[in-house]
Amino acid sequence: MKKFIIFIFILRVFAEDNQHQIVNCNIIFEQRKAEILKEIEKIDEQQQALQALQSATQNVLNQREESLKKREEGIASERKALEEKEALIARMVKKNEELLKQIKAETESKVNETYAGMKDSKSAAILENLPEKEAATILFGLDTKTMSKILAKMNPQKAATLTQIIQKGPPFGEEEQKNTL
């Protein structure tokens, strides 16, 4: 029986030691559990802060995209208005050029008729005093018979110069304009 009592005593000592170890494990487990809960709370807070930041960033991005779309629409409408104005101006320029050509042709026609109706000597005297380009333009508009009669009545030097200008063909004044530009 002594053996039995010793055995029970040993069991009890081991049981108390085990119970003490179990208590220590429970304490450690509870401490670790509290630490883990604190970490989880921190992670939750960080996750919420991240979500709030993502939401704010997305709102800013959406606002900027909307602003950019509005700007693009404004630019597109301004571009369209400018293109319409350019087209209108181009039509007006073309119309004005046509009117200018008509006026110029009409004026040249009247001037040519005037010189054709004048006496050759009078026409020659007037044309000699005009700038060479203008005189060449007027002579070019006359028929060849009238032109030859007027040139015959002119100073030979002036007639020769005008003949050279007329040979180059119209427009007589644009060559020098191109050279000066």
Side-chain angles (χ1 to χ4, degrees), residues 38-99:
K38 285 180 184 178
E39 288 294 322
I40 290 173
E41 285 178 19
K42 284 182 184 178
I43 290 172
D44 284 343
E45 288 174 4
Q46 289 175 347
Q47 186 177 11
Q48 289 174 357
L50 179 62
Q51 287 174 349
L53 180 63
Q54 285 176 337
S55 176
T57 303
Q58 188 63 41
N59 287 339
V60 169
L61 181 61
N62 290 342
Q63 289 174 351
R64 286 190 177 174
E65 284 179 4
E66 188 177 317
S67 173
L68 181 62
K69 283 181 184 179
K70 286 180 182 178
R71 285 182 182 173
E72 287 175 349
E73 289 171 0
I75 290 171
S77 66
E78 287 178 16
R79 179 179 289 159
K80 185 177 179 181
L82 283 175
E83 288 173 356
E84 289 173 359
K85 285 180 182 178
E86 285 178 354
L88 177 65
I89 290 170
R91 286 191 304 267
M92 290 173 71
V93 166
K94 186 176 179 180
K95 185 178 178 181
N96 287 343
E97 286 175 349
E98 289 173 5
L99 289 172

Side-chain angles (χ1 to χ4, degrees), residues 3-13:
K3 285 183 180 182
F4 183 69
I5 293 177
I6 294 177
F7 179 69
I8 291 181
F9 178 72
I10 292 176
L11 277 177
R12 196 173 227 198
V13 170

Side-chain angles (χ1 to χ4, degrees), residues 8-170:
I8 291 181
F9 178 72
I10 292 176
L11 277 177
R12 196 173 227 198
V13 170
F14 278 121
E16 283 179 16
D17 197 29
N18 259 352
Q19 194 173 11
H20 183 63
Q21 284 180 350
I22 290 175
V23 170
N24 284 341
C25 284
N26 281 340
I27 293 171
I28 292 172
F29 176 74
E30 289 298 322
Q31 289 174 348
R32 187 68 182 136
K33 182 179 173 183
E35 290 174 9
I36 290 173
L37 288 176
K38 285 180 184 178
E39 288 294 322
I40 290 173
E41 285 178 19
K42 284 182 184 178
I43 290 172
D44 284 343
E45 288 174 4
Q46 289 175 347
Q47 186 177 11
Q48 289 174 357
L50 179 62
Q51 287 174 349
L53 180 63
Q54 285 176 337
S55 176
T57 303
Q58 188 63 41
N59 287 339
V60 169
L61 181 61
N62 290 342
Q63 289 174 351
R64 286 190 177 174
E65 284 179 4
E66 188 177 317
S67 173
L68 181 62
K69 283 181 184 179
K70 286 180 182 178
R71 285 182 182 173
E72 287 175 349
E73 289 171 0
I75 290 171
S77 66
E78 287 178 16
R79 179 179 289 159
K80 185 177 179 181
L82 283 175
E83 288 173 356
E84 289 173 359
K85 285 180 182 178
E86 285 178 354
L88 177 65
I89 290 170
R91 286 191 304 267
M92 290 173 71
V93 166
K94 186 176 179 180
K95 185 178 178 181
N96 287 343
E97 286 175 349
E98 289 173 5
L99 289 172
L100 184 61
K101 284 180 185 178
Q102 289 175 354
I103 291 170
K104 192 172 182 180
E106 190 67 32
T107 303
E108 287 177 3
S109 173
K110 286 185 180 187
V111 169
N112 291 342
E113 287 176 22
T114 303
Y115 278 92
M118 292 172 71
K119 291 187 178 186
D120 303 334
S121 58
K122 298 271 184 190
S123 297
I126 294 170
L127 290 173
E128 280 182 340
N129 290 318
L130 285 176
E132 292 175 350
K133 294 172 202 93
E134 291 179 28
T137 303
I138 292 170
L139 285 171
F140 188 79
L142 299 173
D143 62 65
T144 53
K145 187 176 180 181
T146 307
M147 185 188 336
S148 63
K149 288 179 184 178
I150 293 173
L151 286 172
K153 301 283 182 175
M154 284 186 174
N155 173 331
Q157 181 69 31
K158 184 75 170 190
T161 304
L162 289 174
T163 303
Q164 287 176 340
I165 293 172
I166 292 170
Q167 279 181 330
K168 292 178 184 175

